[in-house]
Amino acid sequence: MYQVSKTQPEDWVYVSEGGATIVLAYAGLPNADFDGKVLRLRKTAISNTEESQLTDEPDDPTIAFQHGIIAKLIPPQHLPELEVVLLDAAWLKVLSDLRDVDRPVTRRQKDRIDLTRRKGVLATDLIGTADLAVEIKPKWGFLPTPTHLSPSTVSVKTQTCRFCRHNYLRSNKGKDIPSTYCPLDLYSGNRERVAKAVHDLWSGWCASDGSLNNCRLFAKGKMVKMSDPSAMKLLSESLATEGELSHLESSFTNAILDLLIDSPVLRTISYLQRSLDPLDIEGLATLCRRSHHTASELASTFSTLASGVPEPYFSDWEDFIHVFKTRYSSWDHTVPNCDHLKHYLMAYLLSATFKDCSIILRPILPSGKSSSGGTVTIIDLDVKSMGSLAKWEKLDREIVEFYREVKEPKRCVDARIA
Ligand SMILES: O=P(O)(O)O[C@@H]1[C@@H](OP(=O)(O)O)[C@H](OP(=O)(O)O)[C@H](O)[C@H](OP(=O)(O)O)[C@H]1OP(=O)(O)O
Ligand SMILES: Nc1ncnc2c1ncn2[C@@H]1O[C@H](COP(=O)(O)OP(=O)(O)OP(=O)(O)O)[C@@H](O)[C@H]1O
């Protein structure tokens, strides 16, 4: 097994992070085990002072989930390789102290590397030294079918997509900047609409100085922000474009547009999101209630029902994938069968994984200098928890209620029915 202590903490440079993990790339002396790899480490809240009680820590669940479940849905050329790597407490502490300064302040105030972990994930470095790598978090790529929506939500949810409504809520709460990006444009496969999505992502990237998580740019391995002249220079060099920002945008669009349209990846993600969520969270909650028989259970909320559902074992996931690939499409989702509740819950969980993943594009650039051009790879395919169902139902209600007040709702066009 790989051991991180065979390298120096100084060999690892900060790449980026999300809500749950922090990612560092190997930049030390040539080493066959670590060259071209990133280290993905779990984070913990800074307030958490708990000691790990585990003597034999399990591997990060993302590894088995990707190898055994995701790999049955996504071809290997669109996935990074993932392996277990053994960690060392003292080594991690040095790394954490060394690289904390590179992290965004907002993240630093909330969390830090979990020093109690003894295992991490070693993954293919998809950013590396590529002239240009573009990371996009596309989010939800479909409008729900009206069948299971309540009269009070149906018009809102079938007109405006979940991302646009969520962005409206978050920007009104001051948690996000307003964005014109609509995932349905990106997923549409239509050249003009995909170009519009790229333009909107670029505008959001400029306006937020690269702090939005929907679009991140990396030039020669370095994350680019408008406020960082040296990184902007690298971007200009990679795109072989000098001068005005509009010229840079147009080279950027040209670099990734064909890749986005020609690659099957977005189509696959949206197909999986949609087909794994045929009931919407509302229909799923109704099915949960119908599946219980006593009066008190019937009256109970989705959250109490969901909290009574145990987390699936790996064997449950294997069983689910078999059902999904063989029988699931023949079920009548307009009248869901209570006997299928467990599989509908698992389908929703898997849909949530695909609603929250990101893609990394490494385009072939006109300069032709890129050694690994023309790839689209999906990252962050972590398994979601049954414990999140209550949160999702509550958030869904909050988003839809807030959007109901909008005088001129945005009309998002789902490619499937356009
Ligand atoms: O609910 P959403 O759509 O806001 O997604 C959450 C993400 O927010 P986003 O809207 O992409 O900024 C959120 O991303 P950030 O932390 O905002 O980068 C997480 O990915 C979160 O997943 P988890 O709960 O940590 O497993 C995501 O939560 P899940 O819905 O996947 O549980
Ligand atoms: N294989 C990889 N190669 C290069 N960079 C990567 C790789 N995997 C992840 N990253 C970078 O690290 C960041 C954090 O990774 P990831 O999205 O998996 O974290 P997360 O905490 O699960 O995110 P989220 O909060 O969105 O669920 C990514 O946004 C990306 O910039």
Side-chain angles (χ1 to χ4, degrees):
M1 210 180 279
Y2 298 99
Q3 289 183 27
V4 85
S5 55
K6 291 194 172 161
T7 65
Q8 300 300 316
E10 295 78 12
D11 295 340
W12 296 90
V13 294
Y14 177 83
V15 177
S16 182
E17 66 191 280
T21 68
I22 179 163
V23 170
L24 302 113
Y26 182 72
L29 292 171
N31 180 326
D33 285 352
F34 298 103
D35 289 340
K37 301 279 175 63
V38 293
L39 189 58
R40 188 171 185 251
L41 300 172
R42 294 274 158 195
K43 301 194 293 185
T44 187
I46 39 174
S47 55
N48 186 8
T49 51
E50 274 173 35
E51 300 276 313
S52 173
Q53 303 297 320
L54 296 171
T55 46
D56 188 16
E57 183 176 308
D59 294 350
D60 189 308
T62 202
I63 298 180
F65 193 63
Q66 178 159 311
H67 290 168
I69 309 302
I70 298 290
K72 296 207 166 99
L73 303 170
I74 306 286
Q77 66 270 27
H78 299 303
L79 295 172
E81 281 179 21
L82 302 181
E83 288 141 320
V84 184
V85 60
L86 296 181
L87 305 172
D88 171 275
W91 190 98
L92 270 188
K93 174 81 174 84
V94 177
L95 178 78
S96 177
D97 291 346
L98 201 62
R99 298 299 176 221
D100 213 40
V101 61
D102 300 324
R103 305 178 56 213
V105 181
T106 47
R107 298 278 194 195
R108 245 188 287 163
Q109 286 163 348
K110 274 198 269 181
D111 51 36
R112 56 174 169 76
I113 292 176
D114 185 347
L115 303 177
T116 68
R117 300 276 178 156
R118 293 296 160 266
K119 287 177 180 174
V121 177
L122 207 55
T124 317
D125 183 354
L126 299 165
I127 292 170
T129 53
D131 282 338
L132 177 68
V134 180
E135 180 182 345
I136 296 175
K137 192 174 194 184
K139 301 297 290 188
W140 298 39
F142 66 103
L143 293 173
T145 48
T147 321
H148 301 287
L149 305 181
S150 64
S152 63
T153 65
V154 67
S155 69
V156 175
K157 282 188 174 180
T158 54
Q159 262 191 86
T160 313
C161 80
R162 199 273 195 174
F163 176 85
C164 290
R165 286 185 283 115
H166 196 192
N167 178 255
Y168 179 79
L169 173 72
R170 293 212 291 205
S171 52
N172 270 275
K173 281 184 171 176
K175 286 187 181 170
D176 243 346
I177 62 156
S179 169
T180 47
Y181 164 69
C182 174
L184 301 195
D185 289 329
L186 187 72
Y187 286 108
S188 69
N190 171 293
R191 196 170 187 84
E192 283 71 42
R193 292 187 62 193
V194 179
K196 179 186 181 313
V198 171
H199 169 76
D200 293 337
L201 286 168
W202 172 270
S203 303
W205 177 78
C206 292
S208 69
D209 194 25
S211 67
L212 282 184
N213 65 3
N214 291 107
C215 182
R216 290 183 176 131
L217 272 60
F218 299 85
K220 299 187 170 78
K222 187 172 166 52
M223 191 189 282
V224 184
K225 298 198 173 209
M226 293 262 291
S227 58
D228 179 348
S230 67
M232 286 298 281
K233 187 163 178 290
L234 289 178
L235 182 66
S236 294
E237 283 168 15
S238 294
L239 292 170
T241 306
E242 297 287 331
E244 290 174 29
L245 205 55
S246 61
H247 296 162
L248 212 55
E249 179 188 350
S250 126
S251 301
F252 168 72
T253 307
N254 289 340
I256 63 169
L257 191 56
D258 285 340
L259 193 54
L260 283 168
I261 294 168
D262 296 342
S263 162
V265 165
L266 285 173
R267 205 168 44 246
T268 305
I269 294 175
S270 121
Y271 161 74
L272 289 167
Q273 291 178 356
R274 185 196 301 272
S275 53
L276 289 162
D277 177 10
L279 309 183
D280 189 85
I281 193 78
E282 289 186 47
L284 194 60
T286 306
L287 185 67
C288 275
R289 284 189 279 270
R290 264 186 36 222
S291 305
H292 285 67
H293 305 298
T294 67
S296 63
E297 279 169 335
L298 270 173
S300 61
T301 63
F302 186 41
S303 59
T304 54
L305 284 164
S307 64
V309 179
E311 296 298 333
Y313 287 108
F314 189 72
S315 55
D316 294 317
W317 280 114
E318 288 180 306
D319 171 49
F320 172 76
I321 285 293
H322 177 70
V323 170
F324 180 67
K325 297 198 113 184
T326 52
R327 304 196 290 281
Y328 181 85
S329 64
S330 68
W331 295 352
D332 183 356
H333 298 311
T334 60
V335 196
N337 186 328
C338 290
D339 294 345
H340 296 153
L341 175 65
K342 180 178 165 193
H343 285 142
Y344 275 118
L345 287 167
M346 292 179 73
Y348 195 86
L349 247 54
L350 192 51
S351 172
T353 292
F354 288 105
K355 288 163 181 164
D356 197 38
C357 69
S358 298
I359 56 175
I360 296 188
L361 311 165
R362 285 179 299 174
I364 300 172
L365 296 170
S367 59
K369 279 185 286 177
S370 172
S371 57
S372 58
T375 64
V376 182
T377 314
I378 311 177
I379 59 161
D380 196 7
L381 290 162
D382 286 334
V383 60
K384 298 284 177 180
S385 155
M386 286 286 181
S388 296
L389 285 161
K391 172 191 91 172
W392 290 329
E393 196 202 18
K394 187 165 166 274
L395 181 60
D396 175 72
R397 219 178 300 128
E398 189 187 354
I399 293 173
V400 80
E401 273 166 20
F402 198 74
Y403 206 78
R404 239 198 333 244
E405 305 307 320
V406 173
K407 296 273 179 308
E408 289 180 33
K410 195 169 165 187
R411 277 188 176 273
C412 302
V413 181
D414 191 329
R416 191 185 52 151
I417 50 168

